[in-house]
Amino acid sequence: DGMGNLRVTKKGIRLEGISEFLLPLYVKEIHSRKDSPLVLQSDRNVTVNARNHMGQLTGQLTVGADAVEAQCKRFEVRASEGGKVLFSADEDEIVIGADRLKVTGTEGAVFGHSVETPHIRAEPSQDLKLESPTRSLVMEAPRGVQVNAAAGDLKATCRKELHLQSTEGEIFLNADTIRLGNLPVGSFSSSSSSSSSSYSSSSPSSSAPRQTIYELCVCPNGKLYLSPAGAGSTCQSSSNICLWS
């Protein structure tokens, strides 16, 4: 029947209590009791090795005091139901197969290089913000980049210059209302063509009729400004706004 804590049964060998082996123990399977977990305990690291038929080490799992390390060609974490791969890692790539990846850190996620994804979406009732505090923000796609705000506003701000450039196509603005705010306003006078259009900073007098219609003028360098509308065009290429822009 065995000896001490060791019992010989029809299913194999059964150990009761705490047992100590001074030399290696070779077994095919180790099971715990049905009502108890299986505990592997050591005063130092606990290491599980897997070897091939030639004795070469093919996989290793080490549980230490400071870290849990796994050395293998491919590491996988699967779901208990269905066996779906939730996480896998090898030398070429890391794959996260969960339906949702949630990062709860206050600093968010930091990517040292590029990020490739078909869809970026914020949490429900939350704003989506793409920001580069010290450098530029680049979004590229061979067939175009689509930015869509179905139920809110879309805002793009920068400290210096905002460039909209299309190398082969067109830039199409389609909206019920298109507004260009904070454009400089020039004043037109037919007496002098050299200074006929200048920057107007003073408000019109109460006796003069209020100017409500303006002409949108484009300087040779591309800058836009407003000029009071008249019977003919009041835009002047010698406008101070164009000369000092």
Side-chain angles (χ1 to χ4, degrees):
D1 292 335
M3 57 184 178
N5 294 334
L6 187 144
R7 297 285 185 268
V8 179
T9 65
K10 294 181 179 180
K11 295 182 179 181
I13 298 177
R14 181 186 182 98
L15 292 175
E16 300 287 348
I18 299 175
S19 300
E20 182 178 356
F21 295 88
L22 301 180
L23 296 177
L25 174 65
Y26 297 93
V27 296
K28 183 178 180 180
E29 294 182 1
I30 298 178
H31 297 274
S32 66
R33 294 176 53 179
K34 293 183 179 180
D35 56 349
S36 301
L38 177 63
V39 179
L40 301 178
Q41 184 172 327
S42 172
D43 292 338
R44 296 198 169 127
N45 296 342
V46 175
T47 303
V48 179
N49 293 331
R51 300 181 182 273
N52 57 16
H53 64 283
M54 299 179 60
Q56 298 174 342
L57 184 65
T58 57
Q60 184 180 81
L61 177 65
T62 303
V63 180
D66 299 328
V68 177
E69 297 181 359
Q71 298 183 17
C72 53
K73 293 183 178 180
R74 181 178 177 86
F75 179 78
E76 291 186 356
V77 177
R78 293 181 175 269
S80 57
E81 297 181 0
K84 179 183 178 181
V85 177
L86 301 179
F87 177 87
S88 65
D90 54 28
E91 294 182 356
D92 298 328
E93 64 180 3
I94 295 178
V95 178
I96 298 177
D99 294 336
R100 173 177 295 184
L101 173 62
K102 191 171 184 179
V103 180
T104 58
T106 56
E107 297 297 329
V110 179
F111 300 93
H113 298 283
S114 62
V115 178
E116 182 177 349
T117 175
H119 192 192
I120 299 178
R121 182 180 61 186
E123 289 284 343
S125 303
Q126 298 292 330
D127 295 334
L128 176 63
K129 187 176 183 181
L130 302 178
E131 180 182 6
S132 178
T134 58
R135 292 295 186 269
S136 59
L137 177 62
V138 179
M139 294 185 294
E140 295 180 349
R143 294 190 177 182
V145 177
Q146 180 179 1
V147 181
N148 183 23
D153 297 334
L154 178 63
K155 185 178 181 181
T157 59
C158 62
R159 184 177 179 180
K160 291 185 177 180
E161 296 180 355
L162 176 63
H163 294 272
L164 299 178
Q165 181 180 0
S166 177
T167 57
E168 297 182 359
E170 63 180 3
I171 298 177
F172 182 61
L173 301 178
N174 184 11
D176 294 338
T177 302
I178 298 177
R179 299 180 58 184
L180 302 176
N182 299 326
L183 290 181
V185 179
S187 58
F188 174 76
S189 176
S190 59
S191 60
S192 176
S193 60
S194 60
S195 60
S196 60
S197 183
S198 61
Y199 185 78
S200 177
S201 59
S202 60
S203 59
S205 61
S206 58
S207 59
R210 181 181 179 184
Q211 183 73 31
T212 58
I213 301 177
Y214 292 87
E215 183 179 0
L216 181 61
C217 304
V218 184
C219 298
N221 60 0
K223 184 175 182 179
L224 302 178
Y225 75 95
L226 298 178
S227 179
S233 176
T234 59
C235 297
Q236 299 290 335
S237 61
S238 59
S239 167
N240 289 343
I241 299 177
C242 296
L243 295 177
W244 295 102
S245 60

